[in-house]
Amino acid sequence: AAEAAARADPSGWALCYPFRRGGLCRRSSPGVLRAAVVTLLESALCGGGGVAGVGLAPSQLHGCCAVLALPDGFARCDGSALLQLLLVEMGMRACLVAEEATLACLALGLSSACVVRLGASRGAVVCVDELIPMPGCSTRLQYGGDDADALLAALLRRHGLHDRLAELAAEAEAEAGGAGGG
């Protein structure tokens, strides 16, 4: 909604994209960047700017606790800047800062794992030991789920299964339904 309004009346708006390529964008002045991030966070939590939010009132932010989940490999200086925004500017009482791979381990009750994150176009593997991402034990993948879908489709075509896929799915469903009904 803000982009449409800015395009309709460019003189009344200054567009700012505070995040770029997985980090804070340094193209804007620090004050503009700070204001944009605070506005985004407050909109996400309290609503505003066409976003419903999670139902907190702005007065409730002071004294709240937060979890800041940072992407694996996020620049420490950017994480520090976001932490300062939460604690100082937004007045939150406390904040747990952790990388995604560590939080994935915590969610599963594991202290060590190789965490695989696969998005549509990119992926990553991070090895975690005792809840600490291991330096030098991570890699970024330049392929993702879309590529896996294309590979699977090509393999199905190569083996002549793409035409029979619906038929095989129906057979499997019938077998599963017949096995559970007896």
Side-chain angles (χ1 to χ4, degrees):
E3 284 189 17
R7 284 191 194 101
D9 180 21
S11 63
W13 293 82
L15 286 179
C16 174
Y17 297 91
F19 296 98
R20 182 172 169 81
R21 295 187 178 166
L24 290 175
C25 181
R26 303 290 181 192
R27 290 185 178 177
S28 300
S29 71
V32 170
L33 182 62
R34 191 170 36 255
V37 174
V38 168
T39 300
L40 282 172
L41 292 173
E42 286 178 347
S43 295
L45 296 170
C46 305
V51 177
V54 296
L56 289 174
S59 61
Q60 291 177 299
L61 293 180
H62 295 283
C64 278
C65 297
V67 175
L68 181 58
L70 298 176
D72 300 310
F74 195 75
R76 300 282 186 228
C77 62
D78 289 349
S80 176
L82 290 174
L83 182 61
Q84 179 158 349
L85 281 175
L86 290 170
L87 296 175
V88 176
E89 298 203 24
M90 296 178 71
M92 293 195 171
R93 180 177 46 172
C95 185
L96 168 70
V97 180
E99 291 184 359
E100 289 174 327
T102 299
L103 293 173
C105 290
L106 285 171
L108 294 172
L110 302 171
S111 63
S112 300
C114 280
V115 178
V116 178
R117 181 175 34 92
L118 192 61
S121 60
R122 291 184 308 222
V125 179
V126 178
C127 294
V128 177
D129 187 30
E130 298 299 326
L131 297 177
I132 298 173
M134 300 307 297
C137 294
S138 65
T139 187
R140 294 184 191 273
L141 308 172
Q142 297 306 312
Y143 53 88
D146 290 347
D147 299 302
D149 289 347
L151 175 63
L152 180 59
L155 288 172
L156 290 172
R157 269 197 244 53
R158 181 183 301 163
H159 294 287
L161 296 174
H162 65 289
D163 293 333
R164 292 195 51 222
L165 194 55
E167 179 185 325
L168 292 171
E171 287 176 15
E173 189 173 309
E175 287 179 18

